[in-house]
């Protein structure tokens, strides 16, 4: 290892909404030598001082102090830096934070590349492709057309308040909405009420039991029905008018066994628990939806189906051509990701396939090597 650290080195960064990951590699052939992980680094939502701290922590862990003078290039793929212009606020924030972090660590490289997380993810595909489509679906969600390794067109990636449709945040928020709708009598029974409540630290005595979330015969949809989202309420073709299916206190979406008093207490605890944390943390509830869907919870399954539809709509907006490459990454689209199978099926109808990559670190290393003149392969 000591001999390898005497060679020219590069650092690649994958900076996302959940974590910051840095990889130290040999500039000549890209062999990884070290890794460091720190907190979130969205360049639009994380304040620059905090972003600087997370970058310094990750790079500091990846690069031994004695090797910092050997670093010849650094490249980072940043969530929130999706604009094509170098003057885009996210890119400016990322550059300011990364420059400060490297300076504090004594890394004086002149080559610092700022890219979007989607550009880094795309470059992580075998062969370091220059052109095609990329999709990131993790805490947030964004798709882009890549031309000459830069975003030529971007769809979504607009953050939790305005977009990120089909993302982990979107799924987590949908889970909380489903739990609240069940509690107040507007939504169908779902195990998400208990699992979401438990994850948010609600008292056990206010949570519904398994028996209390099992739908009655009147709540079960016909097997041939198509489940459709309608303002958060699950409906099916041929259903009676919307106003006729709203449940009353005697039955419907919330079981009689889950009393009105307990449901009111559930709401009383749930709302402050959600509001007390940064909104983006709802993304951590997404795995609960995937688990419930695996247990054939209809509400959870419908949430995942709609999330896949949202991502499909995002891709369609880029006007993909049959056979075009789509490089995909993010926790929702990994080998065991909950949206991998449903999205793959939808894409096949367009003659498209997903080319999955683990994250953007490999691509960021490749981009750093290219910017240094090392070929990047």
């Amino acid at each position: 290892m000591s001999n390898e650290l005497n060679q020219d080195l590069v650092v690649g960064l994958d900076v996302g909404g959940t974590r910051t990951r840095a990889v130290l590699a040999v500039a000549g052939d890209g062999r990884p030598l070290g890794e460091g992980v720190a907190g979130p680094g969205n360049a639009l939502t994380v304040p620059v001082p905090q972003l600087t701290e997370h970058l310094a922590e990750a790079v500091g862990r990846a690069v031994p102090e004695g090797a910092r003078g050997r670093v010849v290039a650094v490249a980072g793929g940043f969530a929130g830096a999706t604009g094509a212009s170098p003057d885009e606020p996210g890119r400016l924030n990322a550059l300011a934070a990364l420059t400060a972090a490297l300076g504090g660590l004594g890394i004086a490289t002149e080559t610092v590349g700022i890219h979007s997380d989607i550009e880094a993810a795309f470059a992580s595909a075998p062969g370091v492709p220059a052109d095609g489509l990329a999709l990131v679906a993790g805490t947030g969600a964004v798709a882009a057309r890549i031309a000459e390794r830069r975003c030529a067109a971007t769809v979504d990636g607009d953050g939790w308040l305005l977009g990120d449709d089909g993302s982990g945040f979107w799924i987590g928020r949908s889970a909380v909405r489903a739990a609240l709708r069940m509690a107040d009598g507007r939504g169908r029974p779902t195990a998400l009420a208990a699992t979401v409540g438990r994850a948010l630290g609600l008292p056990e005595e206010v949570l519904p039991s398994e028996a209390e979330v099992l739908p009655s015969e009147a709540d079960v949809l016909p097997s041939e029905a198509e489940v459709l989202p309608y303002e958060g309420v699950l409906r099916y073709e041929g259903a009676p008018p919307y106003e006729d299916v709203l449940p009353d206190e005697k039955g419907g979406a919330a079981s009689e066994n889950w009393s009105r008093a307990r449901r009111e207490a559930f709401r009383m605890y749930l709302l402050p628990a959600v509001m007390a944390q940064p909104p983006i943390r709802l993304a951590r509830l997404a795995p609960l939806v995937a688990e419930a869907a695996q247990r054939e919870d209809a509400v959870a399954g419908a949430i995942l189906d709609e999330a896949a539809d949202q991502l499909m709509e995002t891709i369609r907006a880029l006007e993909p051509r049959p056979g075009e490459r789509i490089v995909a990454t993010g926790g929702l689209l990994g080998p065991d990701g909950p949206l991998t199978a449903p999205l793959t099926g939808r894409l096949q109808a367009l003659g498209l396939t997903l080319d999955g990559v683990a994250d953007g670190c490999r691509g960021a290393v490749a981009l750093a090597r290219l910017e240094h003149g090392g070929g990047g392969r």
Side-chain angles (χ1 to χ4, degrees):
M1 174 69 77
S2 59
N3 290 334
E4 292 174 319
L5 292 176
N6 288 328
Q7 304 178 63
D8 286 346
L9 305 172
V10 298
V11 175
L13 287 148
D14 180 46
V15 189
T18 303
R19 68 172 184 173
T20 296
R21 182 174 170 227
V23 171
L24 175 69
V26 177
D29 57 18
R31 279 175 296 138
L33 301 176
E35 179 180 327
V37 178
N42 186 298
L44 279 180
T45 61
V46 176
V48 171
Q50 185 179 356
L51 176 58
T52 302
E53 291 178 8
H54 292 170
L55 290 169
E57 183 180 354
V59 175
R61 290 175 174 174
V63 186
E65 187 171 355
R68 293 174 186 174
R70 303 295 304 175
V71 176
V72 296
V74 177
F78 288 78
T82 53
S85 169
D87 296 328
E88 185 267 329
R91 290 183 186 265
L92 291 176
N93 291 345
L95 179 60
L98 183 54
T99 301
L102 295 175
L105 293 170
I107 296 176
T109 177
E110 294 182 1
T111 304
V112 178
I114 302 298
H115 306 266
S116 71
D117 56 343
I118 200 165
E119 290 166 348
F122 187 78
S124 293
V128 196
D131 306 290
L133 300 178
L135 174 67
V136 177
T139 301
V142 60
R145 178 170 292 283
I146 306 296
E148 298 180 359
R149 301 192 176 92
R150 287 289 186 181
C151 286
T154 303
V155 178
D156 205 354
D158 298 326
W160 65 267
L161 182 61
L162 300 175
D164 284 354
D165 297 332
S167 66
F169 166 79
W170 186 95
I171 291 171
R173 182 186 61 182
S174 297
V176 176
R177 285 170 56 86
L180 286 169
R181 296 185 74 90
M182 177 183 168
D184 64 23
R186 293 182 295 161
R188 292 182 63 207
T190 172
L192 293 173
T195 57
V196 165
R198 194 167 288 118
L200 292 172
L202 272 61
E204 281 291 329
E205 59 266 22
V206 307
L207 303 180
S209 67
E210 182 177 351
E212 290 168 338
V213 299
L214 292 174
S216 66
E217 292 183 5
D219 292 321
V220 177
L221 300 183
S223 59
E224 69 275 10
E226 179 184 0
V227 178
L228 301 170
Y230 180 78
E231 295 295 325
V233 178
L234 298 182
R235 306 202 59 212
Y236 57 95
E237 290 186 348
Y242 175 69
E243 61 271 16
D244 292 340
V245 298
L246 289 177
D248 57 30
E249 293 189 15
K250 296 182 180 179
S255 167
E256 292 180 12
N257 295 325
W258 194 22
S259 69
R260 173 62 74 179
R262 288 171 59 211
R263 286 187 273 147
E264 287 296 319
F266 177 88
R267 290 177 54 81
M268 181 185 70
Y269 282 106
L270 183 66
L271 291 172
V274 171
M275 303 304 177
Q277 60 186 1
I280 199 66
R281 291 202 67 197
L282 291 179
R284 66 191 175 96
L285 302 177
L288 302 180
V289 180
E291 293 169 6
Q294 289 177 346
R295 297 193 298 269
E296 300 185 352
D297 184 283
V299 173
I303 289 173
L304 294 185
D305 280 343
E306 188 175 355
D309 287 341
Q310 295 281 2
L311 294 181
M312 190 67 190
E313 183 179 345
T314 298
I315 293 171
R316 281 182 183 275
L318 292 168
E319 300 178 350
R321 298 180 289 272
E324 195 166 21
R325 187 177 202 172
I326 301 179
V327 177
T329 192
L332 299 176
L333 296 175
D336 300 317
L339 299 186
T340 303
L343 186 60
T344 297
R346 288 162 170 79
L347 288 170
Q348 286 175 346
L350 297 181
L352 302 167
T353 57
L354 288 179
D355 187 357
V357 298
D359 58 30
C361 274
R362 176 177 174 177
V365 167
L367 292 170
R369 294 178 60 224
L370 283 167
E371 289 159 3
H372 180 60
R377 297 182 183 275

